[in-house]
Amino acid sequence: MEPAHARRRSMSSLINEKAHEVHQEQTDLRSNFETKLLKNMHLASSNDLSNSRDPSPSSTDTSEASKRGDKAGFCIEKRNHGDILRPCREVNNGAIEYPQYSSTLTRLHWQESPSNVLIVKKPNAPDVTEVFEQIYKWLKQTKNMNVYVEPSVHQEFAGTCNSLRTWKDEEELGEVQLLIDFVVSLGGDGTLLWVSSLFKQALPPTIPFAGGSLGFMTQFSTDQYQEVLTSVIEGGFSITLRSRLSCDLYRPNSAPESLGLALNEVVIDRGPSSYLTNLDCYADDIFITTVQADGLIIGTPTGSTAYSLSAGGSIVHPSVPAILFTPVCPHSLSFRPLLFPDSVRLRIQVSDDARHSAWVSLDGRDKQELKHGEYILVHMSPWPLPAVNKEGELTDWFNGVIQGLSWNTRVRQKRL
């Protein structure tokens, strides 16, 4: 295989860079404005805001400003977890305002024509297998694209689709991911969750085709795959950046262990134990509460229509910069679900007086035991899942909520 560094700049690299920018914007309530220099305060005192003011009564500028009663100038800065200060608000003559609200439309344009595609299909589904073969042949013969699949799929079609490409191990998978321009997901929401788990960092634009039983995120019909894929290959399509959660496990006398990224939620529950979980929760190292419940869900806005919804959490649009904090059957009637800003880092640890250990899982996978003295650190990942939209991020989302949940469906009241 040709080394990744010798290949042209792939779309994954562009998504990588864009994800960094999006993460910076998310910490400022995902405002889509560029960082600006604060406007000069045209004050008579003309003091430099970066220097301390001279408190001496003999200062001419201060005396004149005091006589006129001028408003004191100021600037607003925000400190992120890397201790980097930057302007976060527009300040004009002492008035605080947002320069621009969050953008509701994100479009992707190719800088180079895409040539590599990864197809991930739902296993053990004959109808999906049939569609997969059609899409593969069309991409290969009509668009002359390199089609990658998982090793198990490559083995399944070894005799009929000889041009399929795959990888042998995790190291080679990392090289392949640098080449992939976009991903085709054939299945339901579970298939899209599996796509997310394959990419530990930047994830290319993903086209979710419906092939499952219930899909909030799979808006495209496989009957229109030629039209949809042609539109994506030509570029200029709308995407929703679905945030993902990063989760690290900390054990005494051990290096932190990355548990991966979650598209829906990180769940800490009691596992096989009959005792309630007893979890101490911290937000940015500030103690907030002790959870005594069957479990705790830390979710993304995308996951708000999954487990969190069943536990009484709010439905949240995927573009809202938030982290969901939803208890599962809490031992308190006053314990209501919360939304944290996406900039916080949540630390969840088993209480010293807990009767039993807890268990943690990401999107329902790879459940691990969390013992006394151990904790997890959950925060928003800089690597979102860029999901291609059918009509637009608001329209697609409402269609999914209405069709999937029958949201606010009732017999209309008759007029008098």
Side-chain angles (χ1 to χ4, degrees):
M1 177 181 294
E2 188 177 1
H5 62 76
R7 300 299 299 269
R8 65 176 178 77
R9 190 180 185 188
S10 69
M11 196 58 206
S12 294
S13 299
L14 298 178
I15 292 294
N16 189 326
E17 296 174 2
K18 180 63 179 175
H20 274 297
E21 297 174 6
V22 170
H23 186 60
Q24 288 295 101
E25 294 171 355
Q26 287 178 336
T27 58
D28 291 332
L29 300 181
R30 196 171 277 181
S31 299
N32 200 26
F33 64 92
E34 298 179 354
T35 304
K36 299 179 180 180
L37 293 176
L38 295 177
K39 292 183 178 180
N40 293 329
M41 297 298 184
H42 298 295
L43 304 174
S45 60
S46 66
N47 286 340
D48 185 354
L49 295 179
S50 63
N51 297 325
S52 300
R53 297 176 179 239
D54 184 1
S56 173
S58 61
S59 171
T60 304
D61 290 340
T62 303
S63 302
E64 294 297 324
S66 300
K67 291 179 180 179
R68 292 193 304 269
D70 289 347
K71 186 173 183 177
F74 62 89
C75 65
I76 298 180
E77 295 175 321
K78 189 170 184 177
R79 186 182 299 274
N80 65 9
H81 291 286
D83 272 353
I84 300 176
L85 288 173
R86 61 189 184 280
C88 70
R89 300 289 185 273
E90 186 78 12
V91 179
N92 186 16
N93 292 332
I96 304 174
E97 61 186 44
Y98 285 113
Q100 181 178 341
Y101 288 102
S102 299
S103 172
T104 58
L105 181 62
T106 302
R107 302 190 69 84
L108 189 147
H109 299 269
W110 301 108
Q111 293 185 350
E112 300 174 7
S113 298
S115 58
N116 301 300
V117 55
L118 169 65
I119 302 180
V120 179
K121 78 177 193 72
K122 180 182 178 180
N124 305 318
D127 53 338
V128 173
T129 299
E130 182 180 349
V131 173
F132 165 79
E133 292 184 276
Q134 295 174 6
I135 293 179
Y136 158 70
K137 292 178 181 178
W138 183 82
L139 286 171
K140 190 64 181 177
Q141 297 172 5
T142 306
K143 300 300 181 180
N144 194 30
M145 298 197 69
N146 301 317
V147 180
Y148 289 83
V149 294
E150 296 177 84
S152 59
V153 178
H154 185 268
Q155 184 177 1
E156 179 183 353
F157 292 92
T160 57
C161 304
N162 299 323
S163 299
L164 287 173
R165 302 187 180 190
T166 189
W167 55 89
K168 297 179 181 179
D169 50 35
E170 289 293 324
E171 181 178 355
E172 194 168 329
L173 171 60
E175 296 180 3
V176 168
Q177 290 180 351
L178 295 176
L179 305 177
I180 300 301
D181 294 306
F182 63 90
V183 180
V184 174
S185 173
L186 298 175
D189 287 351
T191 305
L192 203 58
L193 291 175
W194 178 250
V195 170
S196 174
S197 70
L198 292 176
F199 290 81
K200 309 303 181 184
Q201 293 188 351
L203 208 162
T206 302
I207 312 168
F209 284 99
S213 55
L214 178 64
F216 290 95
M217 299 180 283
T218 53
Q219 301 292 336
F220 293 103
S221 170
T222 53
D223 296 336
Q224 301 174 332
Y225 74 85
Q226 293 186 15
E227 176 185 346
V228 174
L229 292 176
T230 298
S231 174
V232 170
I233 293 172
E234 291 177 353
F237 50 89
S238 170
I239 60 174
T240 295
L241 298 177
R242 294 183 175 272
S243 56
R244 299 192 289 173
L245 293 172
S246 176
C247 181
D248 298 316
L249 174 60
Y250 290 78
R251 291 189 171 101
N253 305 319
S254 299
E257 176 186 353
S258 174
L259 300 183
L261 302 178
L263 179 60
N264 269 353
E265 70 275 306
V266 176
V267 176
I268 310 96
D269 59 33
R270 64 185 186 177
S273 172
S274 60
Y275 295 110
L276 294 175
T277 58
N278 207 323
L279 307 171
D280 294 334
C281 304
Y282 299 80
D284 291 341
D285 293 326
I286 300 173
F287 176 75
I288 52 176
T289 191
T290 295
V291 174
Q292 296 185 84
D294 283 351
L296 175 67
I297 302 168
I298 303 175
T300 66
T302 294
S304 68
T305 52
Y307 191 8
S308 176
L309 181 61
S310 298
S314 299
I315 301 178
V316 185
H317 188 276
S319 292
V320 175
I323 297 177
L324 283 68
F325 188 86
T326 308
V328 181
C329 298
H331 204 249
S332 170
L333 293 178
S334 63
F335 195 170
R336 310 312 303 157
L338 298 176
L339 291 180
F340 283 103
D342 66 344
S343 59
V344 304
R345 293 173 180 262
L346 296 174
R347 175 160 57 95
I348 313 297
Q349 65 184 50
V350 178
S351 301
D352 293 336
D353 57 353
R355 295 185 178 183
H356 202 272
S357 59
W359 295 77
V360 58
S361 62
L362 278 67
D363 288 340
R365 307 183 320 272
D366 305 326
K367 181 169 284 192
Q368 295 196 39
E369 188 174 9
L370 195 63
K371 300 179 181 179
H372 291 80
E374 301 176 348
Y375 65 91
I376 59 170
L377 188 63
V378 182
H379 60 90
M380 196 63 74
S381 167
W383 321 112
L385 186 151
V388 178
N389 296 321
K390 181 180 180 180
E391 299 179 44
E393 63 177 6
L394 191 60
T395 303
D396 287 2
W397 180 73
F398 264 113
N399 286 339
V401 171
I402 293 172
Q403 295 172 10
L405 296 177
S406 297
W407 179 74
N408 197 30
T409 300
R410 55 154 288 174
V411 177
R412 191 172 181 87
Q413 186 180 49
K414 296 180 181 180
R415 61 181 300 177
L416 296 176

